[in-house]
Amino acid sequence: MFYRASLQAAAVLASLSLLAGCGLLSDSGSKVEQKIVVGTTSEPSTLDPAAAWDNSWELMRNVFQTLVSFPTGSTSPEPDAAEWCKFTDTTSTSYRCKIRAGLKFSNGDALDAEAVKYSIDRITEIKFKGGPVGMLGSLDRVETKGDDIVVFHLTKPDATFPFILATPAMSLVAPGDYSRHKIRTDGKITGSGPYLLDSYKPGDRAELVKNPDYKGFADRKNDAVTIRYFKESAPVVAALRKNKIDAIYRGLTAEEVVSLEDNQDKDSNLQIVETVGADIRFLVFNPKDPAAGNVAVRRAIAQLVDRDALVAKVYQGTAEPLYSMVPKGIAGHTTSFFDAYGDPDQGQAKQILTKAGITKPVELTFWFTTDRYGSSTAPEFAELKRQLEGSGLFRITLKSKPWKTFQEGFTKGEYPVFGRGWFPDFPDPDNFIAPFVGKESITGMPYLKDEISKELLPQTRKESDRGAVSKQFERAQQILVDDVRLLPLWQGKLYVASGEDIGGGERALDPQTVMQMWELYRKASW
């Protein structure tokens, strides 16, 4: 769902926020209006957290609270609606939170332990197809103790549970306004977050105003935010250039990023902030396909793919090469594929195939989706085809389908090789390993690897100190290298483009790459 200068760079730039605040005075002494208009192509599919496991999180982070969250600069969950949360046992199976005193929803109802229990229970009861119920697989039951204590009892050790609670999918809702048995569809929100949803028009805009009763970690630098939704990136960039919006997040193509970066040197009215992203792209190989199921074929492809050329030619530097399923910026990241294969080498690839008795060019069909990951996907696969065929060792046929039919195809095992992307739920290495292995792999094909599923992951989930499990994740990544069932290609970068008078862009994206609108502000002129 849910992406990210680096966190260190963001921390260095954080001092800029000292200039922020509502009611700043310009050099003429007049008050600077702290209302920000943001454009995006990331429109929510739902306003109900119980149905949200997608880009709906972008809006939800700003209008709801979760028990714990990710303040700017933090890579581990910290209290939000909770005063504190902690595991109360040594096996990471009992997680207890104390609710912050005096919280209430925008309808006036108290946000207490019962409301927290209700919010989580309705997710598991509704079981919305494609919704976040799948994130709660380790939850047994929720217990309340008085008005301010809630205890989550887990069926097995799961040190990632606090990260799950920090996702906007676990947003807290007012029981009186949300049915226990069905999704809310009236276009309204009753939350306790930094902003209230004043109005919402699907496909057009969401109007947010400051919540006067909010109690949480967010230091709001503005009074109100209008989020305008665009279907395509070109109109949103045009709106920025014409000063019809103040900032952009989500929706910039590589060409537009480069254009805006070049424009910074010529036009002082625009600026762009780069943030390290955690969204990744990779190839999936079908083990039942005669060619793709041969590990020698997969290793030869891994030996030939030139990630540097791919990101330079297709993404123009707006992505960076990825040599592990755990991306840069996430604890436990390695460069295991580079360590194993080094730079692209046609001779080495030929040796791998020859040793396996393969002397003729390998014929394979590569599939990709046309409408899920942006307009650069087709050129990306054309470049992969060029690289592999240029070696003389492969003949590649490219085919594509829209996401819905594409997804149906790969879940049925119809594609020999196909491209996938992954937008993490939370910034922990578990979320870049666990979803891809086991019977329910998100690739649509079981990937049974007992050492990962039954040994390494259970070991790491017993350890609440996530910095203490790097060895297990390093081993898991090495297993993925040996099998080459998945071939990481690149990880994205995120960008916030804005007018020169807008500050806070460097702090606005949290570790889930969800936009924290409260960090944006209009600068005073000096």
Side-chain angles (χ1 to χ4, degrees):
M1 310 265 3
F2 4 67
Y3 323 265
R4 316 160 196 288
S6 66
L7 291 175
Q8 291 83 359
V12 173
L13 292 169
S15 59
L16 293 175
S17 66
L18 296 175
L19 299 175
C22 299
L24 287 175
L25 298 180
S26 69
D27 51 7
S28 64
S30 60
K31 184 177 180 180
V32 177
E33 182 185 25
Q34 290 298 332
K35 181 177 180 179
I36 308 296
V37 182
V38 178
T40 181
T41 57
S42 183
E43 181 182 357
S45 64
T46 178
L47 299 185
D48 191 328
W53 202 354
D54 59 13
N55 57 357
S56 302
W57 288 9
E58 304 280 4
L59 177 60
M60 291 177 183
R61 172 59 74 212
N62 293 278
V63 294
F64 289 109
Q65 280 185 289
T66 45
L67 284 171
V68 290
S69 189
F70 292 100
T72 299
S74 171
T75 56
S76 59
E78 297 184 15
D80 185 5
E83 183 177 320
W84 53 258
C85 288
K86 62 183 179 181
F87 281 106
T88 56
D89 62 347
T90 57
T91 59
S92 299
T93 58
S94 182
Y95 193 67
R96 180 179 295 230
C97 296
K98 181 178 181 180
I99 312 302
R100 193 188 296 264
L103 295 182
K104 62 181 180 179
F105 293 105
S106 54
N107 65 355
D109 291 351
L111 196 170
D112 55 15
E114 281 297 331
V116 173
K117 174 177 168 58
Y118 185 92
S119 298
I120 305 301
D121 283 350
R122 71 185 292 267
I123 296 174
T124 59
E125 289 190 23
I126 292 174
K127 294 181 181 178
F128 187 84
K129 185 177 181 180
V133 65
M135 301 175 69
L136 295 172
S138 65
L139 178 63
D140 179 26
R141 61 189 174 90
V142 185
E143 178 187 12
T144 61
K145 293 181 178 295
D147 293 334
D148 61 351
I149 298 293
V150 60
V151 184
F152 299 91
H153 298 280
L154 309 182
T155 59
K156 54 188 175 182
D158 188 0
T160 70
F161 190 73
F163 290 82
I164 294 169
L165 286 182
T167 67
M170 303 299 144
S171 293
L172 306 177
V173 301
D177 288 348
Y178 289 81
S179 168
R180 193 181 192 93
H181 307 293
K182 61 182 181 180
I183 297 300
R184 184 175 182 178
T185 58
D186 63 357
K188 297 180 180 180
I189 283 175
T190 309
S192 60
Y195 298 97
L196 305 177
L197 182 63
D198 189 52
S199 65
Y200 177 70
K201 185 178 179 181
D204 183 23
R205 67 188 62 209
E207 298 284 356
L208 309 183
V209 296
K210 186 184 288 188
N211 181 359
D213 298 316
Y214 170 70
K215 295 181 179 180
F217 70 86
D219 180 14
R220 295 164 294 182
K221 309 279 195 314
N222 57 63
D223 296 308
V225 177
T226 296
I227 306 175
R228 288 188 55 193
Y229 299 113
F230 295 79
K231 296 295 184 183
E232 299 177 349
S233 58
V236 72
V237 174
L240 178 65
R241 293 187 184 279
K242 295 177 182 178
N243 296 319
K244 292 183 178 180
I245 61 175
D246 298 307
I248 298 173
Y249 81 102
R250 299 285 192 198
L252 292 171
T253 66
E255 293 78 11
E256 287 158 349
V257 168
V258 172
S259 175
L260 286 168
E261 288 178 330
D262 291 344
N263 199 55
Q264 286 186 114
D265 298 328
K266 304 172 184 177
D267 186 347
S268 61
N269 294 326
L270 295 178
Q271 59 182 339
I272 190 165
V273 174
E274 175 187 310
T275 306
V276 176
D279 60 305
I280 65 173
R281 298 293 186 276
F282 54 97
L283 294 178
V284 181
F285 295 91
N286 187 340
K288 294 184 178 181
D289 181 79
N294 188 327
V295 68
V297 171
R298 302 196 297 266
R299 288 174 178 169
I301 292 174
Q303 186 66 71
L304 288 172
V305 169
D306 188 339
R307 295 169 177 81
D308 287 325
L310 182 68
V311 299
K313 292 181 179 180
V314 179
Y315 292 98
Q316 302 181 50
T318 61
E320 55 184 305
L322 180 63
Y323 295 96
S324 164
M325 292 301 289
V326 178
K328 180 180 177 182
I330 300 296
H333 165 72
T334 68
T335 55
S336 48
F337 272 89
F338 184 83
D339 298 340
Y341 295 99
D343 292 322
D345 190 317
Q346 181 177 323
Q348 289 289 342
K350 185 175 182 179
Q351 287 184 27
I352 292 171
L353 293 174
T354 302
K355 188 175 181 180
I358 301 173
T359 57
K360 295 180 179 180
V362 179
E363 296 187 6
L364 277 171
T365 300
F366 279 31
W367 286 83
F368 61 92
T369 179
T370 57
D371 59 353
R372 177 77 169 182
Y373 305 123
S375 59
S376 296
T377 306
E380 174 183 342
F381 274 76
E383 172 61 16
L384 289 171
K385 173 182 169 71
R386 185 196 68 78
Q387 292 181 11
L388 295 177
E389 291 189 338
S391 70
L393 302 174
F394 289 89
R395 292 175 183 167
I396 305 299
T397 300
L398 299 181
K399 292 187 178 181
S400 61
K401 289 183 178 181
W403 173 253
K404 185 176 180 180
T405 50
F406 174 78
Q407 187 177 33
E408 291 172 353
F410 74 68
T411 54
K412 294 178 182 177
E414 295 177 353
Y415 309 147
V417 185
F418 60 95
R420 278 298 312 267
W422 179 245
F423 299 86
D425 301 316
F426 49 86
D428 186 89
D430 186 283
N431 201 229
F432 292 91
I433 301 292
F436 308 113
V437 297
K439 293 181 180 180
E440 304 299 327
S441 168
I442 61 97
T443 65
M445 295 175 292
Y447 183 7
L448 304 180
K449 208 68 182 179
D450 286 351
E451 185 179 353
I452 295 178
S453 300
K454 296 182 179 180
E455 297 179 30
L456 298 174
L457 290 177
Q459 288 173 17
T460 66
R461 289 171 179 174
K462 292 178 182 178
E463 180 57 70
S464 58
D465 179 4
R466 306 308 287 161
V469 294
S470 59
K471 289 185 178 179
Q472 288 92 333
F473 284 113
E474 288 173 5
R475 173 57 187 157
Q477 290 171 81
Q478 186 57 49
I479 292 172
L480 298 182
V481 169
D482 294 340
D483 290 345
V484 203
R485 284 277 301 273
L486 310 168
L487 182 64
L489 297 174
W490 56 269
Q491 71 179 92
K493 298 179 182 179
L494 294 176
Y495 296 87
V496 176
S498 68
E500 188 190 35
D501 63 330
I502 301 299
E506 71 284 344
R507 293 177 54 86
L509 292 168
D510 77 357
Q512 295 166 307
T513 68
V514 174
M515 190 73 162
Q516 299 179 142
M517 299 294 181
W518 58 83
E519 293 288 358
L520 300 176
Y521 64 93
R522 195 174 306 281
K523 301 175 185 177
S525 57
W526 301 99

